[in-house]
Amino acid sequence: MSIKNESEDRADLIIHTMRRLATRTVLFHQAAAQSLGLFPTDLKSADLLNELGPLTAGELSEKTGLSSGAVTALIDRLEKAGYAKREKDPKDKRRVIIVPLTAGKSQVKELFLSLSASTKKLTNEYKPEELDLIIQFISKAAEIMDQELQLLKSKS
Amino acid sequence: MSIKNESEDRADLIIHTMRRLATRTVLFHQAAAQSLGLFPTDLKSADLLNELGPLTAGELSEKTGLSSGAVTALIDRLEKAGYAKREKDPKDKRRVIIVPLTAGKSQVKELFLSLSASTKKLTNEYKPEELDLIIQFISKAAEIMDQELQLLKSKS
């Protein structure tokens, strides 16, 4: 087998393996969200708010790839479930921002506790420099997913 | 900082980065499924059928973590959308198996073409032995996600 083919094979294997992970990620989050009485998108939008801090509905629509109508319904559900609340932006009273609420977090944290513990255990099998490489790759893969979401949204 | 703390930090960073990827994965698949007129779970269940080959409804319920009622509705939607069909198992005519249909695949493939191309481009930044390490890690992460899904399902 030529070097070119081998490198093609590795790229295909990465894509296949990432896809296997994505399938299980989507199914896991479906089950996790269901056990909290939420949609998977709700759960991950709450996660996004926790990651990025308060956002306006427009920003949340942009970041999640959801339509503004879908985002309004989403914020209603998050408010009702106690994961976020609408607030006037202290910096600009005409703006409404969606603030993540830590109150709902403990229940979510508990749900992901076992996953975090298993992932932590897996990291023990690797050397620090190997983990740094893996962190860098996954971080770049997350950026790609972000860009692809924006691209998909721009086409629809 | 002690070595223990550093290794704790790295494990936390892996968990945080994996979670960032998961958030974007769920949101991307939400948008992708929506553009096909499907639910994200439908899309990934079709993927799972393609990955594992024909399954019975019971097996599909086990693998996806969905209830048997939800799986019946899912198979109805997949049949309607042309991604799968119910067939009598040629090895045991009393069993009904869900067969993935390649007909629906080209549309799905096209949707993931850009993501695959970006991922392929990313792999160019890494040496073969680095990619092997990453493939191994992601593969194990997918296995963990599978186990955690089963665990979550057993609790509900």
Side-chain angles (χ1 to χ4, degrees):
Chain A
M1 198 184 287
S2 76
I3 288 170
K4 192 176 176 319
N5 279 351
E6 269 192 35
S7 101
E8 284 280 316
D9 283 351
R10 264 201 192 81
D12 285 344
L13 201 52
I14 280 269
I15 290 164
H16 175 77
T17 315
M18 296 286 288
R19 192 162 178 167
R20 280 188 55 224
L21 177 62
T23 298
R24 280 140 189 95
T25 300
V26 170
L27 293 170
F28 175 82
H29 284 84
Q30 162 69 31
Q34 201 174 5
S35 80
L36 292 170
L38 291 170
F39 292 111
T41 321
D42 299 1
L43 186 61
K44 292 329 257 177
S45 300
D47 233 18
L48 211 59
L49 281 173
N50 280 321
E51 188 188 314
L52 305 173
L55 298 174
T56 65
E59 288 164 343
L60 195 56
S61 162
E62 196 195 309
K63 298 287 180 191
T64 56
L66 295 168
S67 69
S68 58
V71 159
T72 304
L74 163 83
I75 299 167
D76 288 343
R77 285 193 304 271
L78 287 182
E79 273 204 323
K80 202 178 156 197
Y83 289 102
K85 64 171 178 175
R86 289 174 172 95
E87 260 183 25
K88 280 188 184 154
D89 188 347
K91 286 177 235 153
D92 179 354
K93 297 279 185 198
R94 290 160 304 177
R95 264 162 58 107
V96 172
I97 50 172
I98 322 305
V99 181
L101 289 182
T102 44
K105 271 169 88 180
S106 68
Q107 210 188 348
V108 177
K109 231 173 193 167
E110 204 175 307
L111 202 60
F112 286 89
L113 223 57
S114 172
L115 177 62
S116 295
S118 302
T119 307
K120 209 164 212 166
K121 211 173 144 194
L122 174 60
T123 64
N124 291 337
E125 298 175 24
Y126 294 87
K127 290 178 211 146
E129 59 272 24
E130 290 176 337
L131 288 177
D132 287 341
L133 179 85
I134 292 162
I135 290 167
Q136 188 211 45
F137 181 89
I138 295 169
S139 184
K140 285 184 181 180
E143 273 168 48
I144 285 177
M145 206 58 110
D146 229 347
Q147 290 157 11
E148 292 298 321
L149 174 63
Q150 299 307 324
L151 196 68
L152 199 64
K153 207 194 152 191
S154 70
K155 279 185 203 160
S156 66
Chain B
M1 196 186 284
S2 76
I3 288 170
K4 193 179 175 316
N5 280 350
E6 270 191 34
S7 100
E8 285 279 317
D9 283 352
R10 263 201 195 81
D12 284 344
L13 200 53
I14 281 268
I15 290 165
H16 175 76
T17 315
M18 294 288 288
R19 192 160 177 168
R20 281 189 55 224
L21 177 63
T23 297
R24 281 140 188 94
T25 300
V26 170
L27 293 171
F28 175 83
H29 285 83
Q30 163 68 31
Q34 201 173 5
S35 80
L36 293 170
L38 291 170
F39 292 110
T41 321
D42 298 2
L43 187 61
K44 293 327 260 179
S45 299
D47 233 18
L48 210 59
L49 280 173
N50 279 321
E51 187 188 316
L52 305 173
L55 298 174
T56 65
E59 287 164 344
L60 195 57
S61 163
E62 195 194 308
K63 298 287 179 192
T64 56
L66 295 167
S67 69
S68 59
V71 160
T72 303
L74 164 83
I75 300 166
D76 288 345
R77 285 193 303 272
L78 288 181
E79 273 204 323
K80 203 178 155 198
Y83 290 101
K85 63 171 180 174
R86 291 175 169 94
E87 259 183 25
K88 280 188 184 157
D89 187 347
K91 287 176 236 154
D92 178 355
K93 296 278 184 198
R94 290 159 305 176
R95 265 163 57 110
V96 172
I97 50 173
I98 323 304
V99 180
L101 289 183
T102 43
K105 269 169 91 180
S106 67
Q107 209 187 348
V108 177
K109 231 175 192 164
E110 203 175 308
L111 201 63
F112 286 89
L113 222 57
S114 172
L115 176 63
S116 294
S118 303
T119 307
K120 209 164 211 166
K121 210 172 145 194
L122 174 60
T123 63
N124 291 337
E125 299 174 22
Y126 295 86
K127 289 177 211 146
E129 59 271 27
E130 290 176 337
L131 288 176
D132 287 342
L133 180 84
I134 292 162
I135 290 166
Q136 187 210 45
F137 182 89
I138 295 169
S139 184
K140 285 185 181 179
E143 273 168 48
I144 285 177
M145 207 58 110
D146 228 348
Q147 289 158 10
E148 293 297 320
L149 174 64
Q150 299 306 325
L151 196 67
L152 198 65
K153 207 195 151 191
S154 71
K155 280 184 198 159
S156 65

